[in-house]
Amino acid sequence: MKCYSRVLTIAGSDPSGGAGIEADIKTISACGCFATTVITAVVNENTQGVYGIHPIPVDMVVGQIESVLNDIGTDAVKVGMLYSAELVKAVADTLKKYNVGNVVVDPVMVATSGDPLVKTEIGDALKSQLFPIACVATPNIPEAKHLLGNGSPIANIDDMKSVAKSMSCYCSNILLKGGHLDSDNLVDVLYSSSDDKYFELHSKRINTKNTHGTGCTLSSAIASHLAKGESVADAVESAKKYIDTAIRLGAEYEIGKGCGPVKHFFDM
């Protein structure tokens, strides 16, 4: 019998369907993998903002992970929204217990709308507990500055390279996303500490408000390509092409009154 490439996503639930678990399932499916899910929080949100967060109890989150891994297993894991430091540690301990590889950490802290999604103290827990077991972490510029406690501006590629290398003491591969830079020519920087190498991924800024869940989508696409056996650099490049196309082809649609989703199933 054949087996699917399996990707487990551990994240919050977005009822508007553009981010979180919902975006992850769409992305993993669009990338040709089988999605399993662990819900860490139910978020009351839509394209305009976040109105409430109901964290799932830690033991229930751990139970979901164990139920999936004891039965189906996984070839990669994407970790998104974790509401508290206690939950970060519990998730990390459980993944270590099962010796899970190909872990992609998207350090979700703030929604596209600007609303906070987690408790403020999770940064240290992410760096000490979860990043060390991850093969790649995908912070954007505000998340990187928060994690490093860095008040210095990140204004160009050289700044991004310096920050990515600084963060590599926590995780061996850092993908620093440049979407917050004030430029029409965007660049994401991947730094790999194992060979002290930088990879630059360039793209043109697309004039659209439909950027809800782009970080969730990118990290899930990376996990999907890792699950299919690609190297970190190749998986990041494949995922970058996917998200760029999903943003570009989703720009002509209108869903909701705020920041709409990307077009996850652009191939269908």
Side-chain angles (χ1 to χ4, degrees):
M1 298 291 290
K2 295 186 287 186
C3 184
Y4 301 104
S5 296
R6 305 153 298 173
V7 180
L8 169 62
T9 168
I10 304 171
S13 174
D14 168 21
S16 70
I21 285 282
E22 288 76 12
D24 296 343
I25 294 172
K26 293 173 185 177
T27 302
I28 294 164
S29 301
C31 291
C33 298
F34 183 82
T36 55
T37 64
V38 169
I39 297 178
T40 61
V42 176
V43 184
N44 175 12
E45 70 174 315
N46 55 28
T47 65
Q48 296 178 286
V50 174
Y51 309 105
I53 298 172
H54 176 72
I56 303 300
V58 172
D59 61 345
M60 189 65 177
V61 173
V62 171
Q64 292 177 78
I65 298 172
E66 291 184 332
S67 289
V68 171
L69 296 182
N70 284 330
D71 180 22
I72 296 172
T74 196
D75 299 299
V77 176
K78 173 265 173 80
V79 183
M81 177 189 175
L82 300 178
Y83 185 70
S84 66
E86 179 189 9
L87 181 56
V88 172
K89 184 179 186 306
V91 168
D93 287 346
T94 308
L95 295 179
K96 284 187 283 188
K97 172 184 173 181
Y98 285 86
N99 196 30
V100 173
N102 289 333
V103 178
V104 179
V105 176
D106 180 18
V108 176
M109 296 179 183
V110 178
T112 301
S113 61
D115 296 294
L117 290 169
V118 297
K119 291 185 175 180
T120 56
E121 74 273 11
I122 73 159
D124 288 342
L126 286 170
K127 291 185 292 185
S128 64
Q129 302 290 328
L130 199 53
F131 278 19
I133 67 170
C135 66
V136 59
T138 64
N140 58 32
I141 288 174
E143 290 163 348
K145 293 178 73 171
H146 177 84
L147 289 165
L148 290 175
N150 184 359
S152 301
I154 303 175
N156 52 49
I157 295 177
D158 289 338
D159 292 342
M160 293 180 66
K161 287 183 175 179
S162 176
V163 168
K165 189 168 186 176
S166 296
M167 294 191 70
S168 68
C169 64
Y170 305 113
C171 178
S172 57
N173 296 288
I174 298 291
L175 176 64
L176 182 57
K177 299 174 292 189
H180 287 80
L181 291 180
D182 185 18
S183 172
D184 288 334
N185 298 306
L186 302 180
V187 63
D188 297 339
V189 172
L190 173 66
Y191 176 72
S192 174
S193 62
S194 60
D195 51 7
D196 190 28
K197 191 170 183 180
Y198 296 95
F199 301 87
E200 297 179 13
L201 299 102
H202 293 264
S203 59
K204 291 286 187 181
R205 185 182 296 278
I206 298 165
N207 183 23
T208 178
K209 64 178 183 177
N210 293 340
T211 56
H212 185 52
T214 49
C216 305
T217 298
L218 176 64
S219 54
S220 293
I222 294 171
S224 298
H225 286 281
L226 288 172
K228 294 193 287 187
E230 295 184 18
S231 67
V232 170
D234 287 344
V236 168
E237 184 176 10
S238 297
K240 176 67 173 176
K241 291 177 181 177
Y242 172 79
I243 187 62
D244 284 350
T245 306
I247 294 172
R248 177 171 53 84
L249 296 181
E252 61 192 46
Y253 290 83
E254 184 173 21
I255 296 288
K257 300 174 183 176
C259 296
V262 303
K263 188 175 184 180
H264 293 94
F265 293 109
F266 55 79
D267 270 343
M268 292 180 66

